Amino acid sequence: MLEKSDPEIYKLIELEEERQSHTLEMIPSENYPSKAVLEALGSILTSKYSEGYPGKRYYAGNQFIDEIEKLAIERAKKLFGVPYANVQPYSGSPANLAVYLAVCDFGQTIMGQDLLAGGHLTHGWKANLSGKLFKSVSYSLNEDGYLNLEEVRDLAKKYLPKLIWCGGTAYPREIPFKEFAEIAEEVGAYLVADISHIAGLIAGGVHQSPVFFADIITTTTHKTLRGPRGAIIMVTEKGLRKDPEIIKKIEKAVFPSGCQGGPHNNQTAAIAVALKEAMEPEFRNYARQVVTNAKILAEELKKRGIKLVSGGTDNHLLLIDLSPFGKGLGIFLQDALELAGITTNKNTVPQEKSSPFYPSGLRLGTPAITTRGMKEEEMRKIASWLEAIIREIKDCSLPEEKERRKEYLEEFRKDIRNREVIYKIKEEILNLTEDFPIPNLGI
Ligand code: DSN
């Protein structure tokens, strides 16, 4: 149908499918949802307006949408063991904004992990609305790459935030929810755990849950949880004890006070499908393998003398620290890997000496390649390719003068594209991806 009605878009989707098929997707926040999730996402449910909540909508004709949303809610509550779940947020950033609207007044102090130390934009980064509407205080990492809980406590006592975020986007270690809860209790703050990156690991039983420690939990649904793009806000029993009005406040904050209108019902249905899948025993095996793969990859890289932030990983992601070779090398490695067929992203490292656009590290993870069925043996191969490509870029040096950088990088890309090692690895990756097809491709 699409092929005939809109061949341009059809072709581009096909090309993207081909790109995904023939490369290794190692951005740790990306994953492949099941065909069933995609089916729900592409359904007629997208036609319906349904502002409000099940049983109290602003439009008629919502009897089936209500049932779908109730199923998604019940599944989220069961999977994460919480008394309340709101499945309507369009994605992670609006979900986090709704939490602010529910529990903070503009201008109040909030605290979160520094973006440059693995936190998220919405946890108070100055360029984000959360850093403009609120006075944000950031905590960071120790030199060893682990969270500096002493600093968290000192800052909390000094600034008395209304809300403390824990959880990040580029933190390879277990989040110490209990310690965060103690600090939040000491200063009377709400503790909000943003588990977007690790939701699938928590659901699969391979990362501890914040359910006994946080008051509120937010998560996206498309990362390790392997659902469609979307998000969920949950309230814990602890949160309800702290603030018996919290559910009402969150409902209102999502709609009508927040930044969204009608829920995306096709997305809600797809979230429900993904939550059901995450309750299956097979999902526990998947989550375990994600972590096993990340740990093997970390060990293999370390054996090859490659430095990792915090010396390894407890979860699905790794941060390669290229600073022993020089400043700002992340972009060189990211681009060289992309040419060879491995998709990752450049990332800052603790005590970053360069800038967020030209950082000195690289973030990579195992959720998507594990969905393709890759295991220990493939991780060893990937480690050897990473080592070979790091060798190729380690002597690059980012020009100090900002004006010269663009030109230097263009030259670098032209040069690296033609190196034999890149061709060779690209060929090997093509062969590997043939053996591990993405389970659910095909428009
Ligand atoms: N963009 C997401 C990530 O890559 O971690 C966070 O929002």
Side-chain angles (χ1 to χ4, degrees):
M1 175 70 191
L2 183 62
E3 187 175 8
K4 279 212 179 100
S5 70
D6 194 336
E8 278 169 291
I9 288 292
Y10 183 85
K11 184 71 202 159
L12 288 167
I13 295 177
E14 259 198 343
L15 286 171
E16 173 60 10
E17 279 193 3
E18 235 172 83
R19 184 195 71 80
Q20 291 193 16
S21 294
H22 296 140
T23 54
L24 297 179
E25 181 50 71
M26 294 193 73
I27 293 175
S29 49
E30 296 186 13
N31 211 336
Y32 304 114
S34 70
K35 198 83 180 166
V37 166
L38 293 177
E39 216 175 289
L41 201 58
S43 70
I44 195 73
L45 300 176
T46 195
S47 314
K48 190 73 197 99
Y49 258 124
S50 42
E51 281 96 330
Y53 290 96
K56 33 187 182 175
R57 307 281 187 185
Y58 288 82
Y59 291 79
N62 274 301
Q63 61 270 45
F64 303 114
I65 298 296
D66 277 4
E67 292 311 308
I68 288 168
E69 188 168 329
K70 282 196 283 189
L71 264 177
I73 291 169
E74 285 314 310
R75 288 175 186 173
K77 283 162 62 176
K78 188 168 169 204
L79 184 63
F80 291 102
V82 291
Y84 172 78
N86 188 313
V87 295
Q88 290 194 9
Y90 295 156
S91 209
S93 297
N96 289 353
L97 182 64
V99 170
Y100 284 119
L101 294 178
V103 303
C104 297
D105 294 325
F106 296 142
Q108 283 185 324
T109 303
I110 61 106
M111 228 173 101
Q113 188 168 337
D114 193 341
L115 183 77
L116 303 185
H120 190 252
L121 276 172
T122 57
H123 299 179
W125 181 243
K126 296 292 177 197
N128 181 265
L129 207 56
S130 59
K132 294 181 194 287
L133 297 178
F134 306 97
K135 283 191 204 112
S136 69
V137 179
S138 303
Y139 57 83
S140 194
L141 306 175
N142 286 315
E143 283 202 5
D144 62 5
Y146 280 77
L147 280 162
N148 184 344
L149 289 169
E150 244 173 71
E151 186 195 23
V152 179
R153 177 172 277 107
D154 290 347
L155 290 172
K157 281 186 167 163
K158 182 166 173 199
Y159 293 103
L160 300 175
K162 186 79 192 286
L163 180 164
I164 299 176
W165 290 99
C166 60
T169 62
Y171 186 62
R173 294 299 180 180
E174 182 109 9
I175 308 289
F177 295 123
K178 183 168 176 282
E179 288 75 3
F180 270 108
E182 284 164 6
I183 296 169
E185 281 162 27
E186 269 180 55
V187 300
Y190 284 92
L191 180 65
V192 190
D194 183 340
I195 59 166
S196 294
H197 262 260
I198 52 173
L201 307 185
I202 291 170
V206 289
H207 189 296
Q208 67 156 329
S209 164
V211 76
F212 298 116
F213 305 110
D215 301 303
I216 300 170
I217 301 170
T218 63
T219 183
T220 50
T221 47
H222 48 275
K223 298 187 175 90
T224 48
L225 199 54
R226 229 165 42 174
R229 284 184 182 278
I232 307 176
I233 303 174
M234 294 171 264
V235 175
T236 62
E237 296 286 356
K238 187 178 179 201
L240 273 178
R241 283 196 299 275
K242 179 174 172 68
D243 182 354
E245 298 296 305
I246 189 73
I247 292 178
K248 240 189 269 166
K249 292 179 189 170
I250 286 176
E251 295 210 325
K252 265 203 225 154
V254 172
F255 176 83
S257 325
C259 51
Q260 32 186 105
H264 295 172
N265 298 307
N266 54 324
Q267 179 180 325
T268 305
I271 289 174
V273 174
L275 292 170
K276 183 165 183 282
E277 289 173 358
M279 289 177 201
E280 300 295 329
E282 194 280 323
F283 193 84
R284 296 183 88 78
N285 296 339
Y286 165 69
R288 200 174 310 118
Q289 192 66 47
V290 166
V291 176
T292 303
N293 282 352
K295 283 181 188 285
I296 300 270
L297 192 55
E299 283 315 309
E300 290 293 320
L301 289 174
K302 275 175 26 186
K303 262 197 240 162
R304 293 169 162 84
I306 296 162
K307 188 174 172 199
L308 298 177
V309 171
S310 84
T313 183
D314 296 330
N315 56 31
H316 61 302
L317 72 84
L318 287 72
L319 271 179
I320 295 180
D321 184 352
L322 296 165
S323 54
F325 305 116
K327 281 196 299 188
L329 291 184
I331 194 161
F332 296 94
L333 183 55
Q334 173 193 284
D335 288 2
L337 287 171
E338 186 176 7
L339 287 170
I342 303 180
T343 317
T344 58
N345 68 276
K346 60 189 157 83
N347 213 93
T348 49
V349 293
Q351 285 83 44
E352 176 66 59
K353 300 272 185 323
S354 188
S355 70
F357 198 77
Y358 293 108
S360 306
L362 186 99
R363 186 182 71 149
L364 73 169
T366 53
I369 54 174
T370 307
T371 296
R372 290 178 90 146
M374 295 184 195
K375 294 205 166 117
E376 288 82 339
E377 192 187 326
E378 290 70 43
M379 297 309 116
R380 291 190 188 97
K381 281 189 188 151
I382 293 171
S384 72
W385 295 329
L386 287 165
E387 181 197 13
I389 296 180
I390 289 172
R391 274 185 208 284
E392 293 296 305
I393 63 100
K394 72 180 177 35
D395 296 322
C396 293
S397 106
L398 186 71
E400 286 294 335
E401 309 84 4
K402 290 200 171 111
E403 314 73 55
R404 282 196 49 227
R405 289 179 178 172
K406 198 165 161 253
E407 194 189 331
Y408 185 90
L409 274 159
E410 274 165 17
E411 279 306 310
F412 161 78
R413 285 179 192 123
K414 266 191 231 155
D415 166 47
I416 194 106
R417 186 183 293 277
N418 296 319
R419 296 212 195 150
E420 203 187 324
V421 62
I422 299 285
Y423 278 116
K424 196 168 156 279
I425 293 174
K426 192 172 178 154
E427 198 57 39
E428 286 174 347
I429 288 177
L430 266 179
N431 291 336
L432 181 71
T433 55
E434 298 282 315
D435 293 342
F436 293 90
I438 299 172
N440 27 334
L441 275 190
I443 9 176

